[in-house]
Amino acid sequence: TFLILSWSHIPTVSCEKAVLIIISPEKYYSEEDLYNIKSFAEKCNSFNIFIADESGVSNQILELFNSSLRISGKIILSTEPVKGSGLEIRNISQMMISSLISTNMSLYPVSSLLYPEAVFNISSDKKYVVRLDIASSIEEISKESSYVETIGFVEKGFVVNNSYISEESYVASFKTSGEDMVYYLIYSQGSERYYSMLDLMKTIRVGVLETIDKINILVIGDGSLFLNQVLRSDLRSNYMDLYIDLLN
């Protein structure tokens, strides 16, 4: 077992099995880092990758190993707020509201919609339901991989550009005359307010397993699942079981 503190100092010996674990990296990898990671991987008889990241920084590693997966960097919103979150409505122009809908509108701060529930199906008999925290969706940019499987997803929600997320952003929903639900994002840019229609998506991918060139690559769009505060919470046991099953 080797403890690697810097990608500039990687053991030169070969290895039987290795797992590269990346959780919410805060800075980009240098060209030297990427070269050393790839060189080390080529020395291992078995090399797998585990990524939990919502920022998209880890896309460098996915590109390095020719993965078809990418962390979009876009934020997943739930359709309803977490129970107990405050629904504080501030500085919304009545004219804007009336231009959207005259009656029966629900209006939620985006900050209350940043914690959607996700379902992780590890196997036919193991399912976990967990709460995400400002998570990103996973995209597949090509279909060339030998194997891709969705193991984690949000059943219903929206995917929104990160630049539209602020304390002054809201989601408005209402029923049309045909009883269909319609959703709008209300957001600010400078001193101006805008609104745009949201597409309600089903099965937003937040956990994807890919096998390419004999390498298993598991990508999860939320590094917060693995924070110490989660491990210290009352849900520790459930999350630990999920961690073990994901790594296995």
Side-chain angles (χ1 to χ4, degrees):
T1 300
F2 294 96
L3 177 62
I4 299 175
L5 301 178
S6 169
W7 290 116
S8 299
H9 301 89
I10 297 180
T12 57
V13 298
S14 60
C15 73
E16 179 62 29
K17 180 182 293 186
V19 179
L20 173 61
I21 299 176
I22 299 173
I23 299 176
S24 296
E26 296 182 352
K27 64 178 183 178
Y28 288 94
Y29 297 90
S30 67
E31 291 297 325
E32 181 183 7
D33 291 339
L34 295 173
Y35 174 81
N36 289 337
I37 292 171
K38 191 65 178 291
S39 298
F40 178 73
E42 292 171 349
K43 298 174 184 176
C44 298
N45 293 329
S46 172
F47 186 80
N48 297 303
I49 301 171
F50 180 94
I51 293 175
D53 179 26
E54 64 284 336
S55 68
V57 172
S58 300
N59 285 337
Q60 284 183 284
I61 301 298
L62 296 174
E63 293 174 11
L64 181 67
F65 288 93
N66 299 316
S67 171
S68 66
L69 305 178
R70 295 293 184 273
I71 300 162
S72 72
K74 299 176 182 178
I75 304 300
I76 302 172
L77 302 181
S78 59
T79 57
E80 295 182 355
V82 177
K83 291 182 179 179
S85 61
L87 303 182
E88 182 181 359
I89 300 174
R90 297 173 295 175
N91 302 326
I92 298 294
S93 165
Q94 185 61 41
M95 182 178 295
M96 176 171 287
I97 292 177
S98 62
S99 68
L100 289 174
I101 180 69
S102 57
T103 59
N104 298 326
M105 180 180 70
S106 296
L107 188 66
Y108 300 125
V110 164
S111 59
S112 69
L113 305 175
L114 294 172
Y115 312 99
E117 278 191 345
V119 178
F120 283 86
N121 290 317
I122 307 303
S123 63
S124 59
D125 61 342
K126 284 191 175 181
K127 182 173 79 170
Y128 297 89
V129 179
V130 297
R131 181 74 64 182
L132 304 179
D133 184 352
I134 312 181
S136 176
S137 58
I138 307 299
E139 298 177 344
E140 190 175 354
I141 62 173
S142 69
K143 302 295 183 181
E144 298 178 359
S145 174
S146 58
Y147 177 82
V148 172
E149 178 186 3
T150 298
I151 63 167
F153 60 93
V154 173
E155 293 184 351
K156 186 171 63 173
F158 315 103
V159 177
V160 178
N161 285 329
N162 194 23
S163 60
Y164 296 156
I165 305 298
S166 74
E167 292 182 356
E168 303 300 330
S169 301
Y170 300 83
V171 170
S173 63
F174 59 90
K175 283 187 178 181
T176 66
S177 57
E179 294 299 305
D180 295 322
M181 290 299 298
V182 177
Y183 301 87
Y184 280 89
L185 175 68
I186 304 173
Y187 61 97
S188 298
Q189 289 188 344
S191 59
E192 300 294 326
R193 281 199 177 275
Y194 302 89
Y195 62 89
S196 61
M197 184 175 289
L198 290 170
D199 292 326
L200 181 62
M201 299 178 62
K202 297 181 179 179
T203 314
I204 303 172
R205 299 197 292 183
V206 292
V208 183
L209 174 64
E210 177 181 38
T211 301
I212 185 169
D213 295 332
K214 297 182 180 181
I215 297 177
N216 292 317
I217 303 174
L218 178 58
V219 184
I220 296 175
D222 185 6
S224 69
L225 290 176
F226 304 90
L227 293 179
N228 287 333
Q229 66 187 45
V230 174
L231 293 175
R232 298 189 187 105
S233 72
D234 295 337
L235 300 175
R236 179 182 185 277
S237 177
N238 184 52
Y239 280 81
M240 283 298 298
D241 289 343
L242 173 62
Y243 302 160
I244 293 171
D245 283 336
L246 287 174
L247 287 172
N248 286 338

